[in-house]
Amino acid sequence: MGPWIAIVIVVVVAVVLVVFLRARRRPAAPPTSSSAARTAGQTVARPPGRSGLGARIRSIVRADGATADWDALGELLIRADVGPATADRIVRDVRDAYEPGSDPSALVADEIRAVLGEGSELDLPADRLGVVLVVGVNGSGKTTTIGKLAARFAAEGRQVSLAGSDTFRAAASEQLEVWAERSGAHLVQQSRGADPGSVAFDAVKAAEARGSDVLIVDTAGRLHTKQPLMEELKKVRRVLEKAAGRAPDETLLVLDATTGQNGIAQARAFTEAVQLTGVALTKLDGTAKGGVVLAVRDQLGVPIKLVGTGETAGDLQPFDRDAFTERMLSD
Ligand code: GDP
């Protein structure tokens, strides 16, 4: 075998190798949309026409139009964070009111409005210092809601004082400082680790001395299941009562709409400790519908007073039960 034959063999092997490697590098077929969605960790799209709660409720009526699947309605409501006891009550009432041909979604809307009750506003005195105690777990939007409230009161021409009774988190007091500056509110704070009750007492005295119209008290929100937090909040409430000569005019729970059904446990723990007068439901600008407030209203009798729909000062509205109900049932 001469050298030429060896060269030809080497060239042929090289060509075969290059062709083989290029074939392996060719891109694979694009993934189908569902496999792409899975890789991105997303849920598979829901069937068309059944995405909103209202549409899904309408689908519980069987084809003959005369019977409805009431268990399915209960499940839909529980999945919307309504809570089993309140869901049962709604199903019972809707079933009683249902007649062949009626729209179960409209009946559910009526029930939701009935559970939520008439609108309820913040109730603050016009002739003396109004005290608003604000509680809620960390991250629920407590400080932001306080900042928005301060801005709203200031815009109405009221003198606002803020008390930083979350003396544990440095970030909380810095954030409160920023909000106080924006709304021109007077801020009472003490050094980190100070007694929250002592801050609350000082704040009432300072607000009264300045002739403030409203004092909003921020509090700590480490997990509600830890007893020391609840004891601390009870003490802050007692101190406010002693300093002002009466219970706080409002004790608001800030509840994150994305929390789901756990919100009822939070509300129960807080109202047992400090007797809530209202809920501020935050983060309703996202996809969460906040169904848990139905259970809070129904089981604990605490009205929803405010709704947070963003991170800026203007993103706080009085609770509108018709708009809330419509949003709950929409896509
Ligand atoms: P805190 O720990 O309870 O005081 O909670 P913060 O007030 O610090 O809020 C936690 C986060 O939620 C922050 O990033 C806020 O900007 C955000 N946040 C608060 N309220 C709302 C709201 O209504 N909508 C949205 N999208 N974000 C909010």
Side-chain angles (χ1 to χ4, degrees), residues 46-133:
R46 285 171 291 193
R50 300 193 56 191
S51 45
L53 181 60
R56 277 178 283 155
I57 288 173
R58 278 191 288 278
S59 76
I60 64 159
V61 179
R62 298 217 180 96
D64 61 6
T67 49
D69 184 350
W70 301 117
D71 289 344
L73 174 60
E75 280 163 29
L76 284 175
L77 291 170
I78 288 168
R79 264 188 272 148
D81 297 332
V82 170
T86 305
D88 277 357
R89 173 189 154 174
I90 294 177
V91 170
R92 205 177 48 239
D93 291 350
V94 169
R95 193 175 50 204
D96 290 348
Y98 179 78
E99 286 170 0
S102 52
D103 174 2
S105 159
L107 295 176
V108 170
D110 289 345
E111 280 309 310
I112 291 177
R113 279 191 288 267
V115 167
L116 291 170
E118 291 292 327
S120 199
E121 293 270 313
L122 290 184
D123 191 10
L124 294 175
D127 54 345
R128 54 165 171 80
L129 177 71
V131 177
V132 183
L133 175 62

Side-chain angles (χ1 to χ4, degrees), residues 142-148 150 161-167 169-183 185-189 199 216-219:
K142 206 157 17 85
T143 315
T144 308
T145 303
I146 290 170
K148 292 175 185 175
S161 289
L162 301 180
S165 279
D166 181 356
T167 57
R169 287 189 310 160
S173 60
E174 282 161 19
Q175 219 183 322
L176 211 55
E177 257 168 46
V178 173
W179 281 107
E181 212 167 288
R182 275 187 208 155
S183 59
H186 174 243
L187 175 62
V188 179
Q189 297 208 95
V199 178
I216 313 174
V217 183
D218 188 19
T219 56

Side-chain angles (χ1 to χ4, degrees), residues 136-146 148 166 169 172 175 179 218-219 221 254 256 281-286 307-312 315-316:
V137 301
N138 284 345
S140 58
K142 206 157 17 85
T143 315
T144 308
T145 303
I146 290 170
K148 292 175 185 175
D166 181 356
R169 287 189 310 160
Q175 219 183 322
W179 281 107
D218 188 19
T219 56
V254 176
D256 180 340
L281 183 64
T282 59
K283 309 188 191 178
L284 215 55
D285 47 315
V307 164
T309 52
E311 300 183 76
T312 62
D315 298 325
L316 184 74

